[in-house]
Amino acid sequence: METRGDTRMQGYADPGLCRELADRIRAALTGRLRFMEVCGTHTVSIYRSGLRSLLPPEVEHVSGPGCPVCVTHAREIAACIALARIPGVIVLTFGDMMRIPDSRGMSLQQAKARGADVRICYSPAEALQLARANPDQEVVFLGVGFETTAPAVAAVVKQAGQNGLDNLSLLSCHKRIPPALGHLLAGRDLDVDALLLPGHVSTVIGLGPYSFLGREFGIPSAVSGFEPADILMGLYSLVRQQEKQKPEVINAYPRAVKDQGNRAAQAVLEEVFDSGPAQWRGLGRIEDSGLYLAPEYSGLDAWKRFGLEDIEDREPPGCRCGEVLKGKLHPRQCPLFGAGCTPSRPAGPCMVSTEGSCAAVFKYGM
Ligand code: SF4
């Protein structure tokens, strides 16, 4: 389809193109299309662009578990805070993790205010520089995110191993998206007709790992980009699959996603990490959904190095992020929304993260 506008990205946000795609969706629609957008970046784009006002009422939207910070389990947050309290430890993290409270309301930001050495980075590679510059301290990188961020973290781990940097370790809280989708669908309490799959994760893993969605669950799915027209193109392909009653995985983001994914990123993931069961906030334990350092790199495993494996915690009192992440509750239905929980005083991660549904609804008022 032709794009309009001065640049390629402007083209994908072009109102005329979006209206045209919305008309196509309306014309092809045969009934309800309640879709779950899996990725937090989709959530924000849908709210920010006002896309829902273009869509017919039969197209309903629910948010899913694709915000990496939001699905980080309470015990993982507690482990991060415990680490920050250990003398001689420098905790290095992406900024979104700073304000997530544990069940007692403590956060990394508060730990830092009380003297903990917690630093924000923009790239995992900064961990290498920090470890070299501070040989008498332990540097721990908090590895949070899906298959999108995990390869860059894996490359850092590999380099640390090659360079003998023994004061650097990783607290891996990385998670895999396909097992979480299988878990949600197998639970049979997910009331959706189709899935809008995450563009970023798919640039790494490609389409293959999603093939079970149509085969086992008969659910149409489409990988989509993040501009409004990208999302509408993804929705159009979902409507067409519904119309033809042929559920499959469509790549509606071919300018960024190759069907086979990124082989180099897959190779470094496979070398550095093994998969195993992981606890997801609100979703519980999901087999094969966590990424843990392979035996060859276990010396860099902060869970083991600092004895954090038995740590436990629960979700903050009253927070209903778990139901929001399963698409069972709109953020406004949480009793704490806008009162006991705001972006400046968040009770749960969905109000903290820029990709969180509660933060998006609070900001854009939908
Ligand atoms: S409004 Fe706050 S407390 Fe409620 S689900 Fe969202 S983040 Fe959790």
Side-chain angles (χ1 to χ4, degrees):
M1 178 161 299
E2 261 184 52
T3 60
R4 303 160 193 183
D6 297 334
T7 70
R8 193 169 59 162
M9 297 319 287
Q10 281 170 346
Y12 282 97
D14 178 75
L17 174 61
C18 290
R19 271 194 296 276
E20 191 179 319
L21 285 163
D23 287 345
R24 286 184 180 210
I25 289 169
R26 198 170 285 108
L29 202 61
T30 52
R32 180 189 89 156
L33 180 81
R34 184 173 159 90
F35 75 95
M36 172 175 270
E37 111 283 321
V38 175
C39 180
T41 314
H42 281 148
T43 311
V44 174
S45 183
I46 289 168
Y47 285 123
R48 185 177 51 211
S49 64
L51 207 57
R52 293 190 334 170
S53 63
L54 268 186
L55 294 166
E58 295 84 3
V59 178
E60 298 173 44
H61 155 234
V62 294
S63 292
C67 158
V69 170
C70 305
V71 297
T72 300
H73 194 266
R75 75 177 282 268
E76 294 171 326
I77 300 296
C80 296
I81 293 167
L83 260 179
R85 286 173 159 160
I86 299 173
V89 167
I90 303 173
V91 170
L92 190 64
T93 179
F94 294 124
D96 267 4
M97 290 289 286
M98 290 295 285
R99 294 190 307 120
I100 301 189
D102 68 8
S103 61
R104 292 167 301 281
M106 174 60 72
S107 65
L108 282 173
Q109 191 174 52
Q110 287 172 339
K112 183 178 171 70
R114 294 179 189 188
D117 195 344
V118 184
R119 305 187 195 184
I120 292 175
C121 68
Y122 298 96
S123 156
E126 291 172 45
L128 295 166
Q129 296 152 12
L130 195 63
R132 282 195 198 101
N134 296 275
D136 299 329
Q137 287 178 282
E138 289 280 346
V139 174
V140 184
F141 181 74
L142 306 184
V144 171
F146 303 121
E147 293 93 332
T148 325
T149 46
V153 175
V156 166
V157 167
K158 202 173 156 180
Q159 219 176 324
Q162 286 164 349
N163 296 350
L165 270 176
D166 57 10
N167 66 327
L168 176 60
S169 56
L170 170 71
L171 191 81
S172 181
C173 306
H174 288 294
K175 294 179 176 59
R176 300 176 59 229
I177 284 286
L181 297 179
H183 176 86
L184 279 171
L185 292 166
R188 298 183 192 285
D189 60 349
L190 188 63
D191 179 23
V192 296
D193 306 305
L195 295 172
L196 200 67
L197 298 172
H200 293 147
V201 164
S202 306
T203 58
V204 173
I205 67 174
L207 303 192
Y210 303 119
S211 59
F212 71 97
L213 295 170
R215 196 176 58 240
E216 289 179 29
F217 298 104
I219 189 155
S221 50
V223 173
S224 161
F226 303 98
E227 295 298 317
D230 285 323
I231 293 172
L232 288 166
M233 281 192 258
L235 292 180
Y236 180 60
S237 82
L238 295 176
V239 170
R240 292 281 292 151
Q241 288 181 61
Q242 240 189 1
E243 189 187 24
K244 290 189 283 180
Q245 300 194 333
K246 191 175 169 219
E248 52 192 332
V249 184
I250 297 290
N251 183 1
Y253 193 28
R255 73 177 188 280
V257 174
K258 293 190 183 116
D259 289 3
Q260 73 275 18
N262 180 330
R263 299 263 199 236
Q266 290 165 16
V268 74
L269 275 183
E270 276 167 31
E271 179 187 333
V272 172
F273 291 116
D274 283 342
S275 58
Q279 294 281 354
W280 292 56
R281 189 181 292 261
L283 275 59
R285 177 186 158 109
I286 304 177
E287 295 304 322
D288 213 29
S289 70
L291 290 172
Y292 303 100
L293 288 172
E296 192 184 341
Y297 294 97
S298 64
L300 302 178
D301 188 340
W303 288 102
K304 294 181 177 141
R305 187 180 291 192
F306 298 98
L308 299 167
E309 288 166 302
D310 295 331
I311 214 158
E312 292 294 343
D313 200 10
R314 57 191 167 79
E315 294 184 16
C319 175
R320 297 180 68 182
C321 284
E323 290 161 86
V324 171
L325 292 165
K326 284 190 276 195
K328 290 184 158 304
L329 191 83
H330 188 275
R332 284 194 183 284
Q333 293 172 303
C334 172
L336 297 184
F337 182 89
C341 182
T342 62
S344 55
R345 291 195 61 181
C350 295
M351 189 60 93
V352 175
S353 171
T354 49
E355 296 180 26
S357 301
C358 300
V361 171
F362 190 93
K363 186 169 179 186
Y364 298 109
M366 302 292 286

